[in-house]
Short mmCIF file of all heavy atoms in Angstrom, two decimals:
data_model
loop_
_atom_site.label_atom_id
_atom_site.label_comp_id
_atom_site.label_asym_id
_atom_site.label_seq_id
_atom_site.Cartn_x
_atom_site.Cartn_y
_atom_site.Cartn_z
N THR A 1 0.83 -1.22 0.00
CA THR A 1 0.00 0.00 0.00
C THR A 1 0.86 1.26 0.00
O THR A 1 0.34 2.37 -0.13
CB THR A 1 -0.91 0.03 1.24
OG1 THR A 1 -0.07 0.07 2.41
CG2 THR A 1 -1.80 -1.19 1.30
N ILE A 2 2.18 1.11 0.18
CA ILE A 2 3.06 2.29 0.25
C ILE A 2 3.55 2.62 -1.15
O ILE A 2 4.01 1.73 -1.88
CB ILE A 2 4.25 2.02 1.20
CG1 ILE A 2 3.72 1.82 2.62
CG2 ILE A 2 5.24 3.18 1.18
CD1 ILE A 2 4.77 1.37 3.60
N THR A 3 3.46 3.88 -1.49
CA THR A 3 3.96 4.29 -2.81
C THR A 3 5.27 5.03 -2.64
O THR A 3 5.60 5.48 -1.55
CB THR A 3 2.94 5.22 -3.51
OG1 THR A 3 2.64 6.28 -2.62
CG2 THR A 3 1.68 4.45 -3.88
N GLY A 4 5.99 5.16 -3.72
CA GLY A 4 7.24 5.92 -3.65
C GLY A 4 8.41 5.03 -3.29
O GLY A 4 8.28 3.82 -3.10
N VAL A 5 9.56 5.67 -3.20
CA VAL A 5 10.82 4.94 -3.04
C VAL A 5 10.95 4.30 -1.65
O VAL A 5 11.68 3.34 -1.46
CB VAL A 5 12.01 5.87 -3.39
CG1 VAL A 5 12.29 6.84 -2.26
CG2 VAL A 5 13.25 5.06 -3.72
N SER A 6 10.22 4.85 -0.65
CA SER A 6 10.41 4.35 0.72
C SER A 6 9.82 2.96 0.95
O SER A 6 10.01 2.37 2.00
CB SER A 6 9.82 5.33 1.74
OG SER A 6 8.44 5.45 1.54
N GLN A 7 9.06 2.44 -0.07
CA GLN A 7 8.51 1.10 0.14
C GLN A 7 9.62 0.04 0.17
O GLN A 7 9.45 -1.01 0.80
CB GLN A 7 7.50 0.75 -0.95
CG GLN A 7 8.08 0.67 -2.35
CD GLN A 7 7.09 0.13 -3.34
OE1 GLN A 7 6.58 -0.97 -3.16
NE2 GLN A 7 6.80 0.90 -4.38
N TRP A 8 10.77 0.32 -0.47
CA TRP A 8 11.83 -0.70 -0.51
C TRP A 8 12.50 -0.88 0.86
O TRP A 8 12.64 -2.03 1.31
CB TRP A 8 12.84 -0.38 -1.62
CG TRP A 8 12.16 -0.25 -2.95
CD1 TRP A 8 11.98 0.88 -3.68
CD2 TRP A 8 11.47 -1.29 -3.66
NE1 TRP A 8 11.24 0.62 -4.82
CE2 TRP A 8 10.91 -0.71 -4.83
CE3 TRP A 8 11.27 -2.65 -3.42
CZ2 TRP A 8 10.19 -1.44 -5.77
CZ3 TRP A 8 10.55 -3.39 -4.36
CH2 TRP A 8 10.01 -2.78 -5.50
N PRO A 9 12.92 0.21 1.52
CA PRO A 9 13.46 0.00 2.87
C PRO A 9 12.41 -0.63 3.81
O PRO A 9 12.74 -1.43 4.67
CB PRO A 9 13.82 1.41 3.35
CG PRO A 9 13.93 2.23 2.13
CD PRO A 9 13.06 1.61 1.10
N TYR A 10 11.14 -0.26 3.62
CA TYR A 10 10.06 -0.81 4.45
C TYR A 10 9.99 -2.33 4.27
O TYR A 10 9.89 -3.09 5.23
CB TYR A 10 8.73 -0.16 4.02
CG TYR A 10 7.57 -0.42 4.94
CD1 TYR A 10 7.23 0.48 5.94
CD2 TYR A 10 6.80 -1.57 4.82
CE1 TYR A 10 6.15 0.26 6.78
CE2 TYR A 10 5.73 -1.81 5.65
CZ TYR A 10 5.40 -0.90 6.63
OH TYR A 10 4.34 -1.13 7.47
N ARG A 11 10.08 -2.77 3.00
CA ARG A 11 10.09 -4.21 2.71
C ARG A 11 11.33 -4.89 3.32
O ARG A 11 11.26 -6.03 3.78
CB ARG A 11 10.13 -4.43 1.20
CG ARG A 11 8.78 -4.40 0.57
CD ARG A 11 8.63 -5.49 -0.49
NE ARG A 11 7.23 -5.55 -0.87
CZ ARG A 11 6.74 -4.96 -1.97
NH1 ARG A 11 7.54 -4.32 -2.78
NH2 ARG A 11 5.47 -5.05 -2.24
N ALA A 12 12.44 -4.15 3.27
CA ALA A 12 13.70 -4.71 3.79
C ALA A 12 13.58 -5.00 5.28
O ALA A 12 14.13 -5.98 5.78
CB ALA A 12 14.85 -3.75 3.52
N VAL A 13 12.85 -4.14 6.02
CA VAL A 13 12.65 -4.37 7.46
C VAL A 13 11.89 -5.68 7.65
O VAL A 13 12.23 -6.49 8.52
CB VAL A 13 11.87 -3.19 8.11
CG1 VAL A 13 11.47 -3.52 9.53
CG2 VAL A 13 12.73 -1.93 8.09
N ALA A 14 10.86 -5.88 6.83
CA ALA A 14 10.09 -7.13 6.92
C ALA A 14 10.99 -8.34 6.67
O ALA A 14 10.91 -9.35 7.37
CB ALA A 14 8.95 -7.10 5.91
N ARG A 15 11.90 -8.19 5.70
CA ARG A 15 12.80 -9.30 5.38
C ARG A 15 13.81 -9.51 6.52
O ARG A 15 14.16 -10.65 6.84
CB ARG A 15 13.54 -8.99 4.06
CG ARG A 15 14.17 -10.22 3.44
CD ARG A 15 14.68 -9.98 2.03
NE ARG A 15 15.78 -9.01 1.99
CZ ARG A 15 15.70 -7.79 1.44
NH1 ARG A 15 14.58 -7.40 0.88
NH2 ARG A 15 16.71 -6.97 1.45
N ALA A 16 14.24 -8.40 7.13
CA ALA A 16 15.25 -8.49 8.20
C ALA A 16 14.69 -9.22 9.42
O ALA A 16 15.43 -9.87 10.15
CB ALA A 16 15.72 -7.10 8.60
N LEU A 17 13.37 -9.11 9.66
CA LEU A 17 12.77 -9.78 10.82
C LEU A 17 12.93 -11.30 10.75
O LEU A 17 12.93 -11.98 11.77
CB LEU A 17 11.27 -9.44 10.90
CG LEU A 17 10.94 -8.05 11.42
CD1 LEU A 17 9.48 -7.75 11.22
CD2 LEU A 17 11.29 -7.90 12.89
N GLU A 18 13.10 -11.81 9.53
CA GLU A 18 13.22 -13.27 9.37
C GLU A 18 14.55 -13.80 9.90
O GLU A 18 14.77 -15.01 9.94
CB GLU A 18 13.06 -13.65 7.89
CG GLU A 18 11.66 -13.40 7.37
CD GLU A 18 11.50 -13.78 5.89
OE1 GLU A 18 12.49 -14.25 5.30
OE2 GLU A 18 10.41 -13.59 5.36
N VAL A 19 15.44 -12.90 10.30
CA VAL A 19 16.76 -13.34 10.78
C VAL A 19 16.62 -14.19 12.05
O VAL A 19 17.41 -15.10 12.28
CB VAL A 19 17.71 -12.14 11.02
CG1 VAL A 19 17.31 -11.31 12.23
CG2 VAL A 19 19.14 -12.62 11.21
N ILE A 20 15.60 -13.91 12.87
CA ILE A 20 15.47 -14.66 14.14
C ILE A 20 15.11 -16.13 13.85
O ILE A 20 15.84 -17.03 14.28
CB ILE A 20 14.43 -13.99 15.07
CG1 ILE A 20 14.88 -12.57 15.42
CG2 ILE A 20 14.18 -14.83 16.32
CD1 ILE A 20 16.04 -12.45 16.39
N PRO A 21 14.00 -16.42 13.08
CA PRO A 21 13.76 -17.84 12.78
C PRO A 21 14.91 -18.48 12.00
O PRO A 21 15.26 -19.63 12.24
CB PRO A 21 12.47 -17.84 11.95
CG PRO A 21 12.16 -16.42 11.63
CD PRO A 21 12.89 -15.57 12.59
N ARG A 22 15.55 -17.69 11.09
CA ARG A 22 16.65 -18.26 10.29
C ARG A 22 17.82 -18.68 11.20
O ARG A 22 18.39 -19.76 11.03
CB ARG A 22 17.11 -17.23 9.25
CG ARG A 22 18.16 -17.83 8.31
CD ARG A 22 18.40 -16.97 7.09
NE ARG A 22 19.11 -15.74 7.42
CZ ARG A 22 18.63 -14.52 7.21
NH1 ARG A 22 17.43 -14.37 6.68
NH2 ARG A 22 19.32 -13.45 7.54
N THR A 23 18.14 -17.82 12.16
CA THR A 23 19.26 -18.14 13.07
C THR A 23 18.92 -19.36 13.92
O THR A 23 19.78 -20.20 14.18
CB THR A 23 19.56 -16.92 13.98
OG1 THR A 23 19.75 -15.78 13.15
CG2 THR A 23 20.80 -17.13 14.81
N LEU A 24 17.66 -19.45 14.37
CA LEU A 24 17.24 -20.63 15.16
C LEU A 24 17.43 -21.90 14.35
O LEU A 24 17.90 -22.92 14.86
CB LEU A 24 15.77 -20.50 15.56
CG LEU A 24 15.45 -19.59 16.75
CD1 LEU A 24 13.95 -19.41 16.89
CD2 LEU A 24 16.01 -20.17 18.04
N ILE A 25 17.08 -21.84 13.05
CA ILE A 25 17.21 -23.03 12.18
C ILE A 25 18.70 -23.37 12.02
O ILE A 25 19.10 -24.54 12.15
CB ILE A 25 16.58 -22.76 10.79
CG1 ILE A 25 15.08 -22.47 10.92
CG2 ILE A 25 16.77 -23.96 9.87
CD1 ILE A 25 14.46 -21.83 9.68
N GLN A 26 19.52 -22.34 11.78
CA GLN A 26 20.96 -22.58 11.57
C GLN A 26 21.61 -23.19 12.82
O GLN A 26 22.44 -24.09 12.72
CB GLN A 26 21.67 -21.27 11.23
CG GLN A 26 21.44 -20.84 9.78
CD GLN A 26 21.86 -19.40 9.54
OE1 GLN A 26 22.07 -18.64 10.47
NE2 GLN A 26 21.96 -19.02 8.28
N ASN A 27 21.21 -22.69 14.01
CA ASN A 27 21.87 -23.12 15.24
C ASN A 27 21.57 -24.57 15.59
O ASN A 27 22.30 -25.18 16.37
CB ASN A 27 21.49 -22.22 16.42
CG ASN A 27 22.23 -20.89 16.35
OD1 ASN A 27 23.07 -20.70 15.49
ND2 ASN A 27 21.91 -19.98 17.24
N CYS A 28 20.47 -25.12 15.05
CA CYS A 28 20.23 -26.54 15.35
C CYS A 28 20.55 -27.43 14.14
O CYS A 28 20.19 -28.60 14.11
CB CYS A 28 18.83 -26.77 15.88
SG CYS A 28 17.56 -26.33 14.74
N GLY A 29 21.20 -26.84 13.13
CA GLY A 29 21.76 -27.64 12.04
C GLY A 29 20.77 -28.08 10.98
O GLY A 29 21.05 -29.01 10.23
N ALA A 30 19.59 -27.42 10.90
CA ALA A 30 18.62 -27.80 9.86
C ALA A 30 18.91 -27.01 8.58
O ALA A 30 19.82 -26.18 8.54
CB ALA A 30 17.21 -27.53 10.35
N ASN A 31 18.10 -27.24 7.54
CA ASN A 31 18.29 -26.55 6.26
C ASN A 31 17.53 -25.22 6.28
O ASN A 31 16.29 -25.21 6.26
CB ASN A 31 17.77 -27.45 5.14
CG ASN A 31 17.98 -26.82 3.77
OD1 ASN A 31 18.07 -25.60 3.64
ND2 ASN A 31 18.07 -27.66 2.76
N PRO A 32 18.25 -24.06 6.33
CA PRO A 32 17.57 -22.77 6.51
C PRO A 32 16.63 -22.43 5.36
O PRO A 32 15.51 -21.98 5.60
CB PRO A 32 18.70 -21.75 6.59
CG PRO A 32 19.93 -22.52 6.79
CD PRO A 32 19.71 -23.89 6.27
N ILE A 33 17.06 -22.66 4.11
CA ILE A 33 16.25 -22.20 2.95
C ILE A 33 14.93 -22.96 2.89
O ILE A 33 13.86 -22.37 2.82
CB ILE A 33 17.05 -22.35 1.64
CG1 ILE A 33 18.28 -21.46 1.70
CG2 ILE A 33 16.19 -22.00 0.44
CD1 ILE A 33 19.31 -21.70 0.64
N ARG A 34 15.02 -24.29 2.99
CA ARG A 34 13.82 -25.11 2.86
C ARG A 34 12.85 -24.83 4.02
O ARG A 34 11.64 -24.64 3.81
CB ARG A 34 14.23 -26.59 2.84
CG ARG A 34 13.08 -27.52 2.44
CD ARG A 34 13.57 -28.94 2.29
NE ARG A 34 14.56 -29.06 1.20
CZ ARG A 34 15.45 -30.04 1.12
NH1 ARG A 34 15.51 -30.95 2.06
NH2 ARG A 34 16.30 -30.09 0.12
N THR A 35 13.37 -24.81 5.23
CA THR A 35 12.51 -24.63 6.42
C THR A 35 11.86 -23.26 6.41
O THR A 35 10.68 -23.11 6.73
CB THR A 35 13.34 -24.81 7.71
OG1 THR A 35 14.21 -25.93 7.56
CG2 THR A 35 12.46 -25.04 8.91
#
């Protein structure tokens, strides 16, 4: 719903939040991409 150039950094924040589940997957040795 956001127009203009600021939608990209906004999307990047959403993507950055995934670092927590990704790190949890990595720390127990599972496959990060698939999971």
